[in-house]
C-alpha cells in the first residue's frame, strides 16, 4: 500500500460508520447511477472486480444473477461491514495499485468514485494496473467528480481531486483503453454531493 493509500484507509476507517449511514445502501443511491451501473454490468461478461468497494452495496448489485464478483477496499472497516451486510460475496482489504489477479483475468472493473482520492500523479499507474487485469475487450466504468483536472478540494473524509472526461480519457488511452461512453450531469437534491458528476466507460484494447 502506498503512503497516500495508508492515509486514505485511516481516514475512512475513522468515519466508516458515518459514511455507511448516509451512503451504504443501494436505496440511498441516485436512480440514474443505478441505471448506469446496471447497464454496464449487463453489457459485460466474465469476472468483475469492484475496485474501491466501500460498504459493498455496488458489489452486491454487480453480483446479481450469480455473477463472479469480488470487492476490494483500503478500509478494513468498510470490508468488515461489507462482509456482514453481504454474506457470500468475497471482500478483501487491499489496494487497486495491485489487484492480485493474473493478466487478463477480469471481464470488467468498476471504479465508482474510488479514484477520487488518488493523487493525480499516481492515476496513470492505477489505470495501467486495471488494463493489465482486464482481458482484451474487457470494460472499465469510472465515476468521478467532474471539474478542473487534478484539482484538489476538501472532501468530507479526506482530500479529493476532480477530473474532466477529456483529461481522464487521455490517461485511459495512454493506458491501453478506448473510451466508448461518457456522461456528465449536475446533481439532484438529496444526493451525497453537490459537485457535478462524471463517468466514463472504457474498453481494453
Amino acid at each position: 500500500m502506498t503512503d497516500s493509500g495508508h492515509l486514505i484507509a485511516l481516514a475512512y476507517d475513522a468515519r466508516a460508520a458515518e459514511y455507511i449511514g448516509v451512503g451504504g445502501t443501494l436505496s440511498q443511491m441516485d436512480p440514474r447511477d443505478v441505471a448506469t451501473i446496471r447497464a454496464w454490468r449487463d453489457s459485460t461478461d466474465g469476472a468483475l472486480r469492484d475496485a474501491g468497494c466501500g460498504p459493498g452495496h455496488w458489489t452486491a448489485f454487480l453480483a446479481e444473477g450469480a455473477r463472479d464478483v469480488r470487492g476490494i477496499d483500503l478500509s478494513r472497516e468498510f470490508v468488515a461491514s461489507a462482509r456482514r451486510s453481504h454474506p457470500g460475496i468475497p471482500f478483501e482489504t487491499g489496494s487497486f495499485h495491485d489487484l492480485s489477479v493474473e493478466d487478463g483475468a477480469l471481464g470488467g472493473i468498476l471504479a465508482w468514485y474510488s479514484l477520487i482520492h488518488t493523487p493525480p500523479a499516481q492515476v496513470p499507474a492505477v489505470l495501467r494496473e486495471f488494463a493489465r487485469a482486464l482481458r482484451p475487450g474487457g470494460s472499465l466504468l469510472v465515476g468521478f467528480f467532474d471539474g478542473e483536472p487534478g484539482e484538489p478540494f476538501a472532501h468530507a473524509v479526506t482530500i479529493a481531486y476532480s477530473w474532466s472526461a477529456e483529461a481522464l480519457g487521455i490517461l485511459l488511452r495512454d493506458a491501453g483503453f478506448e473510451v466508448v461512453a461518457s456522461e456528465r450531469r449536475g446533481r439532484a437534491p438529496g444526493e451525497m454531493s453537490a459537485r457535478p458528476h462524471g463517468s466514463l466507460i472504457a474498453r481494453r484494447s
Side-chain angles (χ1 to χ4, degrees):
M1 186 185 300
T2 63
D3 290 343
S4 61
H6 180 67
L7 294 175
I8 293 166
L10 290 176
Y12 272 97
D13 281 346
R15 302 188 66 175
E18 178 186 349
Y19 183 99
I20 292 167
V22 299
T25 65
L26 197 65
S27 63
Q28 294 167 310
M29 300 297 100
D30 188 281
R32 295 170 294 181
D33 292 343
V34 176
T36 294
I37 294 175
R38 177 187 290 113
W40 174 81
R41 176 197 67 192
D42 294 348
S43 73
T44 66
D45 55 25
L48 301 176
R49 183 62 52 93
D50 188 359
C53 65
H57 51 294
W58 289 123
T59 322
F61 186 59
L62 295 179
E64 291 180 1
R67 294 294 299 269
D68 178 4
V69 181
R70 182 178 295 268
I72 182 173
D73 201 275
L74 291 170
S75 167
R76 295 182 183 276
E77 294 295 326
F78 273 162
V79 169
S81 177
R83 288 170 175 167
R84 290 191 300 269
S85 298
H86 308 289
I89 298 175
F91 294 94
E92 61 188 41
T93 305
S95 168
F96 42 55
H97 285 269
D98 179 9
L99 293 178
S100 299
V101 297
E102 295 183 0
D103 294 357
L106 303 177
I109 296 173
L110 176 67
W112 197 251
Y113 283 85
S114 54
L115 287 173
I116 62 171
H117 302 296
T118 302
Q122 296 179 18
V123 170
V126 173
L127 297 180
R128 289 194 298 270
E129 172 63 2
F130 289 170
R132 181 200 66 77
L134 284 167
R135 61 169 174 74
S139 184
L140 170 66
L141 172 55
V142 181
F144 57 94
F145 291 110
D146 187 271
E148 186 67 23
E151 181 175 82
F153 63 89
H155 184 272
V157 179
T158 187
I159 188 170
Y161 304 89
S162 58
W163 284 96
S164 69
E166 293 76 15
L168 199 54
I170 290 171
L171 297 184
L172 284 163
R173 286 188 286 272
D174 289 346
F177 288 95
E178 175 191 4
V179 176
V180 296
S182 175
E183 177 191 24
R184 183 188 187 279
R185 69 163 193 264
R187 298 289 186 170
E191 287 197 76
M192 288 179 65
S193 175
R195 292 179 177 273
H197 159 81
S199 69
L200 289 174
I201 297 175
R203 181 181 296 115
R204 176 72 171 92
S205 301

